[in-house]
Amino acid sequence: MATVTLKKGEGRTLNAGGAWVFDNEIDKIEGSFENGDIVKVEAFNGYFLGSGFINTNSKITIRIMSRNKNQEVDDDFIEQRVRDCISYRKHTIDMSSCRLIFGEADFLPGIVVDKYSDILVVQSLALGIDRLKLKIIDMLKKVLAEEGMNIRGVYERSDAKVRLKEGMDLATGFIGDPFDTKVQIVENGVKYFVDVEKGQKTGFFLDQKMNRAAIHPLCKDAKVLDCFTHTGSFALNAGIAGAKNVLGVDASELGINEAEENAKLNGLEDRVRFMVADVFDLLPQLEQKGEKFDVVVLDPPAFTKSRESLKKAIKGYKEINLRGMKLVEDGGYLVTCSCSHFMTPELFANTIGLAAKDAKKRLRQVEYRTQSSDHPILWAADESYYLKFYIFQVCEEK
């Protein structure tokens, strides 16, 4: 096994519990290896820090698999990691549809596996773990079967561009026998069709599961506006919870078509309607018309995926929150989210505060949440903490 020695003063994140070693932290590499192999990582003084996959094509050169000096990364090790993933979710989430493996936060860096009913969708993002993905899938099937959950098909969605930075090609398609890629799931009592082949990410945004449930008490007999509705998830939760009128808006015609199909699936098409529109254009138009809603939901895509575009993203978040607050009836509720890792909790809170000041609204925080528990946040691995979710009561200045 080759040995990677870090520069003096480097490895602080790793020592604190992080899972990555960057290329600029490395002093030297001794011994032969191929990219994707397991290597030892040592501090400048020879102190053992961990073992993990190496890939010199990537700025994230090493992804740590174990911190035990005597641990071999073999089949038994991988199976135990998989069992730990299932055990954790048995205790924390409804497993009918959930994320089974969340990369670094589940100590299996670079791989994501989602379960939609009896279908698995795998996304492999790093070279070393890519070599193990078939083994991980087989072990997941085995352990799930022991729990009475039989898997009938697996689809790969390794089409994220980050693979190119690893020197890997994009890959999609069936792993094993083909099946109908439009899968029906049930979450919070709402039925959805999930397109695991063509849908965004792995087909559906499972990370908002508990947050969608959190809006139910607000929505009975309410008039609700759901912005960036995608395939209608918050809008349909509002409908199931007893809203009298729901409007879901998204710029994607494909997403809106799926949302309308999901509304029919739940028998909600009379109370939950959708329209294709740019939210940034629509909100001022609704304000000019004097429209008001009891609940406004803002669940935008990540406005920034890098620090370089953060300033523009802040402007976008402030704009939609300001416009959204102005559309809320006095004493009504604003539900607002950010899924950008670079929009820190402090920065997001500050941006909402500035929007409230400019809108001349008083905010009373009902609750603050993060991603669902099947997307665990690993302390010291900041990349695993990305979703911020607030519910506020919006009050007029009096």
Side-chain angles (χ1 to χ4, degrees):
M1 191 186 296
T3 299
V4 175
T5 304
L6 303 189
K7 297 173 184 174
K8 189 172 184 177
E10 299 292 354
R12 287 186 292 272
T13 303
L14 198 58
N15 270 319
W20 293 347
V21 176
F22 290 90
D23 55 358
N24 61 358
E25 295 181 280
I26 296 171
D27 180 29
K28 61 183 178 180
I29 304 174
E30 296 175 305
S32 60
F33 68 92
E34 291 182 5
N35 281 330
D37 286 351
I38 293 284
V39 298
K40 287 195 300 181
V41 181
E42 295 181 349
F44 75 98
N45 59 0
Y47 182 79
F48 178 81
L49 295 173
S51 57
F53 296 117
I54 189 168
N55 185 358
T56 56
N57 292 316
S58 174
K59 284 187 177 296
I60 305 171
T61 305
I62 300 162
R63 296 172 189 258
I64 296 297
M65 286 290 286
S66 175
R67 295 171 185 275
N68 184 340
K69 190 172 186 177
N70 301 314
Q71 178 64 59
E72 188 177 346
V73 180
D74 55 13
D75 287 3
D76 289 342
F77 174 86
I78 297 298
E79 180 171 344
Q80 188 57 54
R81 283 280 198 261
V82 168
R83 288 188 178 278
D84 290 345
C85 290
I86 302 303
S87 175
Y88 167 78
R89 281 151 182 87
K90 276 175 59 184
H91 289 93
T92 59
I93 200 83
D94 162 30
M95 287 186 66
S96 59
S97 293
C98 70
R99 177 152 293 182
L100 295 177
I101 299 176
F102 186 39
E104 281 75 353
D106 277 309
F107 312 109
L108 286 168
I111 192 166
V112 165
V113 182
D114 287 338
K115 176 180 178 289
Y116 298 109
S117 186
D118 55 359
I119 296 299
L120 299 183
V121 182
V122 58
Q123 187 174 64
S124 171
L125 304 173
L127 179 61
I129 207 76
D130 198 65
R131 293 179 174 184
L132 294 174
K133 71 185 174 192
L134 296 181
K135 191 169 289 184
I136 290 170
I137 289 165
D138 286 344
M139 289 176 178
L140 275 172
K141 288 180 176 178
K142 172 186 170 183
V143 178
L144 288 168
E146 292 172 5
E147 298 292 337
M149 293 177 272
N150 293 308
I151 300 301
R152 68 179 171 92
V154 181
Y155 198 83
E156 180 166 17
R157 284 294 302 271
S158 300
D159 50 1
K161 290 182 180 178
V162 69
R163 276 176 67 98
L164 303 176
K165 296 179 180 179
E166 290 271 320
M168 303 162 68
D169 294 329
L170 306 187
T172 59
F174 297 101
I175 296 177
D177 295 335
F179 54 89
D180 184 353
T181 55
K182 208 166 189 180
V183 182
Q184 186 175 323
I185 68 168
V186 181
E187 179 196 272
N188 302 333
V190 182
K191 301 172 189 172
Y192 302 92
F193 285 119
V194 175
D195 189 338
V196 301
E197 179 183 11
K198 297 174 183 173
Q200 289 189 32
K201 304 289 186 178
T202 65
F204 190 71
F205 295 102
L206 291 164
D207 52 5
Q208 291 273 33
K209 177 187 288 193
M210 304 314 294
N211 299 339
R212 288 189 277 261
I215 74 165
H216 284 213
L218 311 175
C219 294
K220 184 161 179 59
D221 298 324
K223 181 181 178 184
V224 180
L225 174 65
D226 176 21
C227 301
F228 310 98
T229 192
H230 188 227
T231 56
S233 57
F234 276 104
L236 294 170
N237 273 269
I240 285 287
K244 63 184 177 186
N245 183 289
V246 183
L247 174 61
V249 183
D250 201 278
S252 166
E253 189 170 349
L254 177 63
I256 290 298
N257 289 340
E258 292 182 17
E260 289 174 341
E261 189 176 17
N262 288 330
K264 289 177 184 174
L265 185 63
N266 289 277
L268 292 171
E269 63 269 35
D270 60 329
R271 291 185 288 119
V272 182
R273 61 188 179 91
F274 297 95
M275 68 182 294
V276 179
D278 184 309
V279 170
F280 284 93
D281 294 335
L282 180 66
L283 295 187
Q285 293 170 14
L286 293 175
E287 185 186 342
Q288 286 174 1
K289 291 177 183 177
E291 288 272 14
K292 290 285 185 179
F293 298 86
D294 300 302
V295 180
V296 172
V297 180
L298 303 173
D299 182 24
F303 288 160
T304 178
K305 295 185 179 180
S306 69
R307 286 188 176 85
E308 289 71 31
S309 59
L310 188 55
K311 190 174 285 187
K312 185 177 178 182
I314 292 169
K315 186 177 178 182
Y317 282 115
K318 183 183 175 188
E319 172 70 10
I320 61 164
N321 278 279
L322 185 151
R323 297 294 179 184
M325 289 174 201
K326 288 187 173 183
L327 291 171
V328 178
E329 289 276 11
D330 185 23
Y333 297 91
L334 176 73
V335 179
T336 184
C337 323
S338 169
C339 62
S340 171
H341 163 65
F342 294 99
M343 193 74 176
T344 64
E346 296 78 16
L347 190 53
F348 187 48
N350 185 54
T351 302
I352 295 168
L354 291 173
K357 182 179 178 182
D358 287 358
K360 294 181 171 55
K361 303 289 184 181
R362 303 290 301 277
L363 297 182
R364 298 209 300 174
Q365 183 177 319
V366 179
E367 60 180 311
Y368 173 75
R369 308 174 67 92
T370 60
Q371 61 250 34
S372 296
S373 54
D374 53 343
H375 296 63
I377 297 169
L378 179 64
W379 282 33
D382 291 344
E383 65 281 353
S384 67
Y385 181 11
Y386 63 94
L387 184 60
K388 285 76 60 180
F389 174 94
Y390 279 105
I391 298 176
F392 293 106
Q393 186 183 42
V394 180
C395 304
E396 300 284 354
E397 291 278 13
K398 293 174 183 174

